[in-house]
Amino acid sequence: MKKMALILVLLFFACSHKPQAPVVHISLINNNRSIKFTGLDYAIISEINRDTVQGIWQGLVPVFRMPDDTDMKDYQPALNGKYKLIDSAVVFTPDTPFIKNQTYFLRYFEFGERNSTWDFIKNKKKLGKTSYIDLIFKQ
């Protein structure tokens, strides 16, 4: 009886649906003065864009200058600039232009994505920690 229960539990978790993470892309636009961030669900980003809180986009998709010592990248200040929603993309234009041959990165936080029980069991995720992906680009 225990073997049958174990088999049923294994089948249950093996057949669970894994949500696909969005494919996120960044590209330089406007003669390399802005970056375009695409790949998020339009309904979600339009709802976020309706929020009146100042700096909401900078908290969700901040852009940073890559330091020479990449171990220090978590301690860099976010670049100031303007975020706009154009079609289904978020466009960031910094207050000061991007420097030629300088590396930058956009930190994309994965809020609520891939939060299955197995992600926590396999230590892919920790409770209270928001995972992120750093998307690197060079001017």
PDB file of all heavy atoms in Angstrom, residues 7 14 21 36 46 58-60 63 89 108 119-120 128:
ATOM      1  N   ILE A   7       4.094   5.876  -5.476  1.00  0.00           N
ATOM      2  CA  ILE A   7       4.001   5.976  -6.932  1.00  0.00           C
ATOM      3  C   ILE A   7       3.010   7.067  -7.323  1.00  0.00           C
ATOM      4  O   ILE A   7       3.269   7.856  -8.235  1.00  0.00           O
ATOM      5  CB  ILE A   7       3.616   4.617  -7.547  1.00  0.00           C
ATOM      6  CG1 ILE A   7       4.788   3.646  -7.402  1.00  0.00           C
ATOM      7  CG2 ILE A   7       3.224   4.772  -9.007  1.00  0.00           C
ATOM      8  CD1 ILE A   7       4.472   2.228  -7.794  1.00  0.00           C
ATOM      9  N   ALA A  14       5.395  14.646 -11.034  1.00  0.00           N
ATOM     10  CA  ALA A  14       5.989  14.529 -12.366  1.00  0.00           C
ATOM     11  C   ALA A  14       5.084  15.133 -13.425  1.00  0.00           C
ATOM     12  O   ALA A  14       5.556  15.659 -14.430  1.00  0.00           O
ATOM     13  CB  ALA A  14       6.269  13.066 -12.690  1.00  0.00           C
ATOM     14  N   ALA A  21       8.836  30.645 -18.225  1.00  0.00           N
ATOM     15  CA  ALA A  21       9.294  31.989 -17.908  1.00  0.00           C
ATOM     16  C   ALA A  21       9.280  32.812 -19.192  1.00  0.00           C
ATOM     17  O   ALA A  21       9.561  32.293 -20.270  1.00  0.00           O
ATOM     18  CB  ALA A  21      10.696  31.941 -17.330  1.00  0.00           C
ATOM     19  N   LYS A  36      15.589  49.215 -24.770  1.00  0.00           N
ATOM     20  CA  LYS A  36      14.217  48.720 -24.849  1.00  0.00           C
ATOM     21  C   LYS A  36      14.189  47.337 -24.216  1.00  0.00           C
ATOM     22  O   LYS A  36      14.990  46.473 -24.544  1.00  0.00           O
ATOM     23  CB  LYS A  36      13.770  48.664 -26.304  1.00  0.00           C
ATOM     24  CG  LYS A  36      12.333  48.219 -26.466  1.00  0.00           C
ATOM     25  CD  LYS A  36      11.820  48.465 -27.858  1.00  0.00           C
ATOM     26  CE  LYS A  36      12.346  47.436 -28.815  1.00  0.00           C
ATOM     27  NZ  LYS A  36      11.674  47.470 -30.121  1.00  0.00           N
ATOM     28  N   SER A  46       1.208  47.190 -18.511  1.00  0.00           N
ATOM     29  CA  SER A  46       0.295  48.327 -18.602  1.00  0.00           C
ATOM     30  C   SER A  46      -0.346  48.613 -17.247  1.00  0.00           C
ATOM     31  O   SER A  46      -0.601  49.765 -16.901  1.00  0.00           O
ATOM     32  CB  SER A  46      -0.760  48.104 -19.678  1.00  0.00           C
ATOM     33  OG  SER A  46      -1.548  46.994 -19.373  1.00  0.00           O
ATOM     34  N   GLN A  58      11.971  51.884 -11.741  1.00  0.00           N
ATOM     35  CA  GLN A  58      13.351  51.754 -11.286  1.00  0.00           C
ATOM     36  C   GLN A  58      13.468  50.677 -10.212  1.00  0.00           C
ATOM     37  O   GLN A  58      14.487  50.023 -10.092  1.00  0.00           O
ATOM     38  CB  GLN A  58      13.884  53.081 -10.754  1.00  0.00           C
ATOM     39  CG  GLN A  58      15.364  53.034 -10.474  1.00  0.00           C
ATOM     40  CD  GLN A  58      15.951  54.401 -10.234  1.00  0.00           C
ATOM     41  OE1 GLN A  58      15.233  55.370 -10.059  1.00  0.00           O
ATOM     42  NE2 GLN A  58      17.255  54.481 -10.223  1.00  0.00           N
ATOM     43  N   GLY A  59      12.420  50.448  -9.463  1.00  0.00           N
ATOM     44  CA  GLY A  59      12.425  49.386  -8.473  1.00  0.00           C
ATOM     45  C   GLY A  59      12.232  48.003  -9.082  1.00  0.00           C
ATOM     46  O   GLY A  59      12.651  47.007  -8.516  1.00  0.00           O
ATOM     47  N   LEU A  60      11.585  47.943 -10.255  1.00  0.00           N
ATOM     48  CA  LEU A  60      11.290  46.656 -10.885  1.00  0.00           C
ATOM     49  C   LEU A  60      12.342  46.230 -11.915  1.00  0.00           C
ATOM     50  O   LEU A  60      12.661  45.059 -12.016  1.00  0.00           O
ATOM     51  CB  LEU A  60       9.915  46.706 -11.552  1.00  0.00           C
ATOM     52  CG  LEU A  60       8.744  46.906 -10.607  1.00  0.00           C
ATOM     53  CD1 LEU A  60       7.454  47.094 -11.385  1.00  0.00           C
ATOM     54  CD2 LEU A  60       8.618  45.732  -9.661  1.00  0.00           C
ATOM     55  N   VAL A  63      18.577  49.815 -13.976  1.00  0.00           N
ATOM     56  CA  VAL A  63      19.735  49.721 -14.868  1.00  0.00           C
ATOM     57  C   VAL A  63      20.945  50.211 -14.084  1.00  0.00           C
ATOM     58  O   VAL A  63      20.879  51.225 -13.392  1.00  0.00           O
ATOM     59  CB  VAL A  63      19.534  50.564 -16.141  1.00  0.00           C
ATOM     60  CG1 VAL A  63      20.757  50.505 -17.045  1.00  0.00           C
ATOM     61  CG2 VAL A  63      18.295  50.100 -16.884  1.00  0.00           C
ATOM     62  N   ALA A  89       6.701  47.316 -24.774  1.00  0.00           N
ATOM     63  CA  ALA A  89       8.080  47.378 -24.306  1.00  0.00           C
ATOM     64  C   ALA A  89       8.254  48.523 -23.320  1.00  0.00           C
ATOM     65  O   ALA A  89       7.564  49.532 -23.389  1.00  0.00           O
ATOM     66  CB  ALA A  89       9.033  47.577 -25.480  1.00  0.00           C
ATOM     67  N   TYR A 108      16.549  42.197 -13.896  1.00  0.00           N
ATOM     68  CA  TYR A 108      15.152  41.811 -14.074  1.00  0.00           C
ATOM     69  C   TYR A 108      14.753  40.888 -12.931  1.00  0.00           C
ATOM     70  O   TYR A 108      15.242  39.779 -12.823  1.00  0.00           O
ATOM     71  CB  TYR A 108      14.993  41.122 -15.438  1.00  0.00           C
ATOM     72  CG  TYR A 108      13.693  40.378 -15.600  1.00  0.00           C
ATOM     73  CD1 TYR A 108      12.479  41.036 -15.496  1.00  0.00           C
ATOM     74  CD2 TYR A 108      13.687  39.015 -15.847  1.00  0.00           C
ATOM     75  CE1 TYR A 108      11.294  40.347 -15.641  1.00  0.00           C
ATOM     76  CE2 TYR A 108      12.506  38.327 -16.003  1.00  0.00           C
ATOM     77  CZ  TYR A 108      11.318  39.002 -15.893  1.00  0.00           C
ATOM     78  OH  TYR A 108      10.143  38.322 -16.022  1.00  0.00           O
ATOM     79  N   ASP A 119      10.874  23.874  -6.654  1.00  0.00           N
ATOM     80  CA  ASP A 119      11.920  24.897  -6.676  1.00  0.00           C
ATOM     81  C   ASP A 119      12.439  25.170  -5.275  1.00  0.00           C
ATOM     82  O   ASP A 119      13.632  25.404  -5.078  1.00  0.00           O
ATOM     83  CB  ASP A 119      11.401  26.192  -7.305  1.00  0.00           C
ATOM     84  CG  ASP A 119      11.210  26.070  -8.799  1.00  0.00           C
ATOM     85  OD1 ASP A 119      11.916  25.257  -9.413  1.00  0.00           O
ATOM     86  OD2 ASP A 119      10.357  26.792  -9.338  1.00  0.00           O
ATOM     87  N   PHE A 120      11.550  25.146  -4.287  1.00  0.00           N
ATOM     88  CA  PHE A 120      11.980  25.351  -2.914  1.00  0.00           C
ATOM     89  C   PHE A 120      12.694  24.115  -2.364  1.00  0.00           C
ATOM     90  O   PHE A 120      13.675  24.221  -1.647  1.00  0.00           O
ATOM     91  CB  PHE A 120      10.788  25.719  -2.023  1.00  0.00           C
ATOM     92  CG  PHE A 120      10.238  27.079  -2.316  1.00  0.00           C
ATOM     93  CD1 PHE A 120       9.059  27.225  -3.021  1.00  0.00           C
ATOM     94  CD2 PHE A 120      10.906  28.224  -1.903  1.00  0.00           C
ATOM     95  CE1 PHE A 120       8.559  28.473  -3.300  1.00  0.00           C
ATOM     96  CE2 PHE A 120      10.405  29.478  -2.186  1.00  0.00           C
ATOM     97  CZ  PHE A 120       9.233  29.607  -2.885  1.00  0.00           C
ATOM     98  N   GLY A 128      11.441  34.284   0.997  1.00  0.00           N
ATOM     99  CA  GLY A 128      11.797  35.657   1.306  1.00  0.00           C
ATOM    100  C   GLY A 128      12.839  36.259   0.385  1.00  0.00           C
ATOM    101  O   GLY A 128      13.174  37.423   0.501  1.00  0.00           O
TER     102      GLY A 128
END
